[in-house]
Amino acid sequence: MLHKVLIIIQWFFLLYMLVLNLCYLALNIISFITIGRYLNNHRLDDFLQSFSDFEPPISVLVPAYNEETTVESTIRSLMQLTYSEFEVIVINDGSKDNTMGVLTEKFKLVPVPEAYQIRLKVKPIRGFYKSLMFPNLRVIDKENGGKADALNAGINASRYPLFCGVDADSVLQRNSLKQVIQPFLDNPLTVAAGGTVRIVNGSRVYNGFLEEAGLSAKLLPRMQIVEYLRAFLFGRLGWAPINAMLIISGAFGVFRREKVIQAGGYSVGTVGEDMELVVRLHKYLRMKKEPYRITFVPDPICWTEVPEDLKVLRNQRVRWQIGLLQSLMRNRDLCFNRRGGMVAWLAFPFMVIFEALGPVVEFLGYIYTIVVFVLGIVTPTMFVLFFLFSVGFGVFISVTALLLEIISFHIYSKPRQIFQLFLCSLYENFGYRQLVTLWRLEGLWKWLKGSKGQWGEMTRTADWQK
Amino acid sequence: MREPPSDSVVTLVVGASAAIIVTSLLLLLLMIIIRFIQSVREEQRRSFIKTWSPIMALSIEETITDLPILLKFNYINFLSQWNIFADSVRGPSRKGLIRLAKQVGMERVAAEFLSKRSEYERTIGAMSLGNMEDKSQWDKLQELAENNIGLSGQVAARSLARIDPVASAPVLVPIFVRRKDWSSARVALILKDMEPNAVSIHLAAAIFTATSEDLPRLLRFLPYIERGIALQVLSDILSRNTEPEVLTACLAGIKALGDYQSISLVKQYINHEAWSVRVQAVNALGMLASKDDLPLLVERLSDQNWWVRYRSAQAICNAPFVTPGQLQEFRDKHPDRYARDILAQVLAEKQMVVD
């Protein structure tokens, strides 16, 4: 009897692994087709500049909480973006450090009266400021309410039809806004577009802009490069063509302001407010039967620093898992909703089964494998072979993401870098992947206990910055 | 309990694992080969630009007879670089560039590109023919503009407009009406390339017969036609329509085109029930108003909608006939707190000192 039960469990794990890998493979194939098409059009960008006039004006929102060390360079780099018309709104979310003092001193802020239009409810505003140096820079000083609340305050104060949420520590390229705006020019139905986020550790940054991309000397950031390649190059790219992309990174994403306000703005009290908003936008627009596009720009246009030590990485992954679960739970009525299309019938269930519950299944799978091995139910040969198969498929998926990167943008173009990343896609299966599973499991546990949303604090080394 | 796995299962797992590992290694090899090919191509392109950019620059001024050989694999590089040059010059300067392209047989290559499967090549072909002002491929360009769903369709439309604005207008305007998926910004850019007298009658006729769903989008293109015709169209559409979206687009058009004659038309909408209409009426009034219309703008400072108040305050602050003393009086003595607040904000934004 026990044997039969164990066999059934074994088939469950095998089936789960098989379906998951087939889904990844399908996303992979879609991504290859999409990137091929995208690159064909993208190659024209150089000499289609004159076809990109009449860009819609954008409000760039920068929520800041205890960012006294990075806020100046971030704002200075934002002020140098090449774009016809944009405003930058920094929202100081009740920082406990000298963020406001730095902003006031470095950008010559003066208080201004503002008949503020409260379209999204936010924590009380302490004051509005404008810069005497840059006419398109404004600062909102408000009581602490979390990142979502800060972004909502920025949306209330923004003047333009599109807004772009940017993390205070994001490193951009001068043409980042021009690139991320393309989907809005290409298709008037676009309501949101996300940009590809790459890892800045190991790269050289000058005056807030990326000068040369490189690989960190440390193993942990390198492993995360492979993860980011997977997540952005076929995680996002695979879902975007079927209009079922559920995540736009908070580090860099553009939204149509009115649609976001209609959908209720960012949700306060969530950790993953960026994902939650995108899922809710899908739900809102699908339920209203409004045609729309939520899409993705594969060009690397935003660079972010990733954790270099395990403690910080653990906090980040726990937070991400809580954010994922909150986003899905708050919008659970979208799942299998008859009006929900691909989002409701494909992307949402995929996220629940393989991303939200994935760590549980994976963890139980490890336990099961150890138990049956100890009990002698599987032979060492089979144990090794199945492990090899699992690792092999993991490597294969990572390597295809790497191939996609080489074909498309070849940021890591030197043969040495390619080989190092290939090795990382191999190493990550021995320890790193299991560790991440454990942290995601911890996130799930904390979510079950009712962990509340707060600003994600991360120790930044910023040793890439000149 | 321990059972040896069957041979077939072991064979299957071994086979699958080996296949995956070998495939991964092959992919690694493929990556290195792709990178090598990319490097070679990048080098070829660099070397091409180094040779041909000075020639293209020189061709604007003079005829060059001694040209280097242009190899087939460099046709795309030539046309990309040539289009960048052609887009950056106007008038007689372009003639030299067109002569250069014809000297190396590029009008034939560009025409061939129109029939290629690759969207990239079709787009480059269409763009090149437009910049060469080559009418021989008119039908093919028209077919692309009418039927292609990609960027090449829009580029072909622009090329038609550049080759012959007058002849292209009756072809392009129906396409603009039909292709709702084309961004308005790009259509506006094509219209900008055409002469207003070429497009006026066709666009006006299209607007008169458009559905109320299409009207707001088409009305945005009115600034690209002759002003007199545009104002006549606007006045007519305003008298026939009640939908807020249409009224809003008309008032925005009047703001861009109107003169004081249109002000009586604008005033009719200053108290419209839809705030989107009121805000555009205030915007238009701000552009056209005289001293006598100031009370209307001041009244809107107390509007229940923030945007109407904000635009009224901006209009008042920008009006040349409003004195700093009047501004101060409005800001300090207006009976409505919302009106005072919004004026204070706009004055601060404009760094206007009134006291």
Side-chain angles (χ1 to χ4, degrees), chain A residues 43 50 115 159 185 376 392 406, chain B residues 20 120 183 189 306 310 345 349:
Chain A
R43 284 203 291 170
S50 62
R159 302 276 158 79
L185 291 176
I406 301 294
Chain B
I20 287 168
Y120 175 60
S183 121
L189 204 68
W306 186 90
Y310 182 63
Q345 174 185 332
E349 277 175 12

Side-chain angles (χ1 to χ4, degrees), chain A residues 6 97 100 164 176 194 199 209 273 297 334 352 361 377 379 443:
Chain A
L6 288 173
D97 66 357
M100 201 56 216
C164 174
S176 291
I199 290 172
F209 288 103
E273 70 289 324
V297 180
L334 178 62
V352 172
V361 179
I377 293 168
T379 62

Side-chain angles (χ1 to χ4, degrees), chain A residues 151-274:
Chain A
L151 283 164
N152 285 340
I155 294 171
N156 281 338
S158 64
R159 302 276 158 79
Y160 294 138
L162 301 177
F163 75 85
C164 174
V166 177
D167 279 352
D169 54 349
S170 291
V171 175
L172 302 177
Q173 287 170 205
R174 280 182 209 276
N175 62 350
S176 291
L177 279 181
K178 272 187 179 294
Q179 286 188 307
V180 80
I181 209 68
Q182 282 308 314
F184 291 88
L185 291 176
D186 291 340
N187 188 341
L189 294 177
T190 307
V191 296
T196 301
V197 179
R198 293 289 182 93
I199 290 172
V200 77
N201 308 48
S203 300
R204 211 169 58 236
V205 173
Y206 186 70
N207 270 347
F209 288 103
L210 188 89
E211 208 169 61
E212 192 189 343
L215 285 184
S216 169
K218 294 173 184 164
L219 194 60
L220 208 55
R222 277 192 204 172
M223 303 259 210
Q224 291 172 78
I225 288 178
V226 177
E227 270 187 311
Y228 270 57
L229 287 179
R230 276 200 310 260
F232 282 93
L233 281 182
F234 70 76
R236 309 277 205 280
L237 213 53
W239 292 113
I242 52 170
N243 202 20
M245 193 177 74
L246 292 182
I247 306 173
I248 286 180
S249 170
F252 199 74
V254 176
F255 296 84
R256 227 175 255 286
R257 179 175 179 266
E258 273 311 306
K259 293 290 171 203
V260 170
I261 291 174
Q262 283 167 18
Y266 283 95
S267 173
V268 179
T270 51
V271 180
E273 70 289 324
D274 42 4

Side-chain angles (χ1 to χ4, degrees), chain A residues 276-293:
Chain A
E276 202 281 332
L277 174 66
V278 179
V279 180
R280 191 148 36 82
L281 269 175
H282 274 295
K283 187 171 81 175
Y284 173 77
L285 294 163
R286 295 260 177 194
M287 296 307 126
K288 280 189 77 181
K289 290 187 178 171
E290 260 186 51
Y292 72 98
R293 295 280 313 161

